[in-house]
Amino acid sequence: MAELFLGKVLVKNNRDQDELDTDQELSERLENRVVLLYFADSRSSRCQEFAPLLKDFFTKLTDEFYVNRSSQLVLIYVSRDRSEEDHDSFIKDMPKRWLLVPFEDEEFRRDLEVQFSVSEVPVLVVLKPSGQVISPNAVDEVARLGTPCFKNWQEVSEIIDRSFLQAEFCDTTASRSLSDPIRRIKYKVEDTKKKKERAGGDEEEDGGGKGGGTDFF
């Protein structure tokens, strides 16, 4: 999949608009994942209707509030906006995990439109990690089925499940559920309680051997 973007730059949808501009960075973000290319115009009424659905769809598959491990999914936004202001206004409300084709790279954006036969928007192209097209436009599928779409795409994508990979092949920061801190606190409390009980037992044994001790309580 990274071959499609060789020599190109993708941008992270964060405040600093960090760039992915090396083969290694692109490979790390795109390989072994289902890739979504989202073509849209933020002024289009159909795009305005679909955008919240896509945002919810993507968030529920990748945000640690909903899942323990982010799904092997990446979304790349290809803008058809007429101005950079419209583009920036749209993406500021979209997930920070989205990647963007830079707005100023109009030539590449147009090349992608031609390559994937985009005429009217919104269009959501679904690609295997190999770059083979799973769906030329999954907008209706996502709107009707929601997150189960990803399982269908995953089954035909020949993705290696990360749960069977060694740690160095997985994301550097594995997502954790919100209950993890609670479990850790509970463990610490129980562990401390057991230590006190063991300590109390040892003191009783020592006290018995010395003929008794002074109790203050």
Side-chain angles (χ1 to χ4, degrees), residues 156-176:
V156 300
S157 292
E158 302 173 354
I159 289 178
I160 301 174
D161 191 336
R162 288 181 303 185
S163 62
F164 294 99
L165 298 179
Q166 297 180 5
E168 65 263 28
F169 294 106
C170 298
D171 292 340
T172 53
T173 55
S175 297
R176 295 189 297 267

Side-chain angles (χ1 to χ4, degrees), residues 30 34 36 45 53 66 69 72 74 84-85 89 91 99 103 111 113 129 136 140 155 157 184 204:
L30 302 179
V34 172
L36 306 180
S45 59
L53 300 178
Y66 297 97
R69 183 191 290 273
Q72 289 165 264
V74 62
E84 191 166 6
E85 289 74 20
S89 177
I91 63 174
L99 298 177
F103 183 81
D111 288 344
E113 289 180 12
D140 290 340
E155 288 177 353
S157 292
R184 288 196 293 271
E204 290 178 0

Side-chain angles (χ1 to χ4, degrees), residues 9 22 30 44 60 63 75 80 82 90 100-101 108 111 121-122 131 153-154 177 180 183 192 209 217:
V9 174
T22 68
L30 302 179
S44 161
K60 286 182 176 178
D63 193 286
L75 186 146
R80 296 189 87 192
R82 300 176 184 178
F90 172 73
L100 319 168
V101 175
F108 185 45
D111 288 344
V121 289
W153 302 335
Q154 187 179 31
S177 68
D180 272 0
R183 288 198 295 267
T192 302
F217 302 101

Side-chain angles (χ1 to χ4, degrees), residues 118-162:
V118 175
S119 56
E120 297 182 357
V121 289
V123 169
L124 186 67
V125 181
V126 186
L127 302 172
K128 293 182 179 182
S130 64
Q132 183 179 352
V133 176
I134 297 175
S135 172
N137 191 359
V139 167
D140 290 340
E141 186 179 0
V142 169
R144 287 187 297 104
L145 302 178
T147 54
C149 291
F150 176 74
K151 185 175 182 180
N152 297 335
W153 302 335
Q154 187 179 31
E155 288 177 353
V156 300
S157 292
E158 302 173 354
I159 289 178
I160 301 174
D161 191 336
R162 288 181 303 185

Side-chain angles (χ1 to χ4, degrees), residues 6-200:
L6 286 179
K8 300 297 181 180
V9 174
L10 293 179
V11 177
K12 297 179 182 179
N13 187 29
N14 57 20
R15 178 180 299 177
D16 297 325
Q17 299 283 286
D18 295 324
E19 295 183 349
L20 301 174
D21 56 5
T22 68
D23 293 350
Q24 181 177 354
E25 288 175 328
L26 291 171
S27 179
E28 288 175 352
R29 291 300 296 267
L30 302 179
E31 294 300 332
N32 198 43
R33 286 171 168 82
V34 172
V35 176
L36 306 180
L37 296 181
Y38 179 46
F39 298 83
D41 179 343
S42 62
R43 288 184 175 272
S44 161
S45 59
R46 293 188 68 241
C47 292
Q48 291 172 359
E49 292 175 2
F50 179 65
L53 300 178
L54 181 60
K55 178 181 178 180
D56 183 67
F57 171 85
F58 185 84
T59 300
K60 286 182 176 178
L61 288 169
T62 59
D63 193 286
E64 64 183 11
F65 182 85
Y66 297 97
V67 290
N68 289 328
R69 183 191 290 273
S70 177
S71 299
Q72 289 165 264
L73 177 71
V74 62
L75 186 146
I76 301 170
Y77 177 57
V78 187
S79 174
R80 296 189 87 192
D81 285 317
R82 300 176 184 178
S83 71
E84 191 166 6
E85 289 74 20
D86 290 340
H87 171 268
D88 292 343
S89 177
F90 172 73
I91 63 174
K92 73 178 182 180
D93 295 324
M94 293 299 111
K96 302 307 178 186
R97 290 177 181 263
W98 279 22
L99 298 177
L100 319 168
V101 175
F103 183 81
E104 59 268 20
D105 195 352
E106 183 176 2
E107 181 180 358
F108 185 45
R109 291 190 287 121
R110 299 293 86 84
D111 288 344
L112 289 173
E113 289 180 12
V114 173
Q115 182 172 349
F116 294 100
S117 303
V118 175
S119 56
E120 297 182 357
V121 289
V123 169
L124 186 67
V125 181
V126 186
L127 302 172
K128 293 182 179 182
S130 64
Q132 183 179 352
V133 176
I134 297 175
S135 172
N137 191 359
V139 167
D140 290 340
E141 186 179 0
V142 169
R144 287 187 297 104
L145 302 178
T147 54
C149 291
F150 176 74
K151 185 175 182 180
N152 297 335
W153 302 335
Q154 187 179 31
E155 288 177 353
V156 300
S157 292
E158 302 173 354
I159 289 178
I160 301 174
D161 191 336
R162 288 181 303 185
S163 62
F164 294 99
L165 298 179
Q166 297 180 5
E168 65 263 28
F169 294 106
C170 298
D171 292 340
T172 53
T173 55
S175 297
R176 295 189 297 267
S177 68
L178 295 178
S179 61
D180 272 0
I182 298 175
R183 288 198 295 267
R184 288 196 293 271
I185 293 172
K186 180 180 179 182
Y187 172 79
K188 289 180 180 179
V189 170
E190 292 180 346
D191 190 52
T192 302
K193 182 179 179 181
K194 289 180 180 179
K195 287 182 179 179
K196 289 183 177 180
E197 290 176 351
R198 287 198 299 270

